[in-house]
Amino acid sequence: MPPIDLRGDYITKLNDEYFTSSYWLTTNQFVTLYKLCNNHDNSITIKMLLIYCNYIKQYPTWLQLTNMSGHSTRTTQKFIKKVKNILMELFNLDDFDFNDRLSIEPFIIEGIKIYSVIDTVIFKISKPSQSHALESIYYSVKHKHHGIKFEVVTSNYEGSIHDFRIAKLSGVTDLQLVENERMLGDSGYVSDEYSNFFISPHKGASSEISDYDLVFDSIICGKRQIVENLF
């Protein structure tokens, strides 16, 4: 970790590649974020933000983080929580009510109404220590790296958990849809059990799918671009 008495602008003189590998952001992005946080709450220090950024980038154990920061686990956790709360205040939008979706015109295909689209993205993190008790659950076999998954309208989950299971764990599948409504997702949300909740492209090789279903898949995949662009 850089010396704790650095001024924000001085960080831009550090090696950008090294800094990003440890703190996720570029040096310029970090300085911009620090100034936003500090203007919002002047008790936020550069060191607090460095600890937070290192935590979300490399996901170290508490022991590794406290050894690096020179603070106790309790103090380090307080720093992370404080920065997280400041960021939530800075970038918070009005609370979303799921029923708000009904105020817009739905996309309709074959009598099915689509008001919402769901997707999950994995953000790569550095490999936790082999001794880390949770090391294996953050490894995504599909993506061949460790990561944390984020799903629109919900929280974050370990990289090994399947997208559809996240939807169930997060309570998405408990949301109440109106008559003939489906939530649009990719092939990760194909499920016979929830065929009345999700609508997704057909699975299988194109040679095994009828021409009609290929056209259908092409149409709904085009409608999914809004959530792809979000990520």
Side-chain angles (χ1 to χ4, degrees):
M1 179 173 291
I4 64 173
D5 59 345
L6 291 177
R7 297 294 179 185
D9 291 332
Y10 183 79
I11 285 187
T12 60
K13 300 178 182 179
L14 299 175
N15 180 281
D16 208 47
E17 184 176 353
Y18 159 75
F19 192 87
T20 302
S21 69
S22 298
Y23 302 102
W24 204 343
L25 304 173
T26 66
T27 54
N28 284 324
Q29 288 171 337
F30 179 88
V31 170
T32 299
L33 182 60
Y34 167 68
K35 290 179 178 178
L36 282 172
C37 292
N38 188 258
N39 287 337
H40 186 76
D41 183 337
N42 60 17
S43 68
I44 292 293
T45 66
I46 290 175
K47 187 172 186 180
M48 286 181 185
L49 190 56
L50 285 170
I51 290 173
Y52 178 83
C53 289
N54 182 257
Y55 175 70
I56 62 174
K57 169 60 180 175
Q58 297 189 324
Y59 204 72
T61 63
W62 290 117
L63 179 60
Q64 292 170 329
L65 199 54
T66 54
N67 286 341
M68 180 178 62
S69 67
H71 292 286
S72 67
T73 298
R74 185 175 181 180
T75 298
T76 302
Q77 290 173 338
K78 284 183 176 179
F79 285 170
I80 291 173
K81 183 176 181 180
K82 186 176 183 65
V83 173
K84 183 196 74 172
N85 289 339
I86 292 299
L87 292 175
M88 290 179 68
E89 290 174 9
L90 276 173
F91 300 105
N92 187 37
L93 300 174
D94 293 335
D95 290 338
F96 174 73
D97 185 330
F98 187 63
N99 289 325
D100 289 347
R101 76 195 189 287
L102 302 177
S103 64
I104 63 172
E105 287 295 321
F107 165 64
I108 300 177
I109 183 169
E110 293 190 332
I112 295 174
K113 303 173 185 176
I114 299 175
Y115 286 98
S116 49
V117 184
I118 188 171
D119 200 11
T120 302
V121 66
I122 184 168
F123 284 91
K124 186 177 181 180
I125 62 172
S126 298
K127 179 181 178 181
S129 166
Q130 290 288 352
S131 61
H132 196 313
L134 301 179
E135 187 270 336
S136 62
I137 70 172
Y138 285 91
Y139 182 75
S140 169
V141 175
K142 175 182 177 181
H143 297 92
K144 308 300 182 185
H145 62 69
H146 292 77
I148 297 176
K149 283 188 171 182
F150 289 83
E151 186 174 71
V152 173
V153 308
T154 184
S155 187
N156 62 73
Y157 289 86
E158 297 85 356
S160 63
I161 300 180
H162 191 272
D163 296 358
F164 177 70
R165 187 173 175 225
I166 292 175
K168 295 181 69 174
L169 290 172
S170 65
V172 168
T173 53
D174 294 327
L175 295 171
Q176 297 299 308
L177 304 184
V178 299
E179 185 178 1
N180 294 327
E181 180 186 359
R182 302 289 188 277
M183 187 175 289
L184 178 56
D186 61 17
S187 58
Y189 296 92
V190 174
S191 166
D192 291 337
E193 181 184 359
Y194 286 89
S195 60
N196 289 328
F197 191 93
F198 293 113
I199 182 171
S200 307
H202 295 82
K203 278 191 172 183
S206 57
S207 59
E208 301 171 351
I209 301 174
S210 69
D211 291 343
Y212 178 87
D213 287 340
L214 286 174
V215 173
F216 178 88
D217 291 349
S218 176
I219 293 172
I220 64 172
C221 285
K223 293 298 180 181
R224 289 192 64 260
Q225 287 305 308
I226 186 171
V227 74
E228 295 287 352
N229 293 340
L230 173 64
F231 284 134

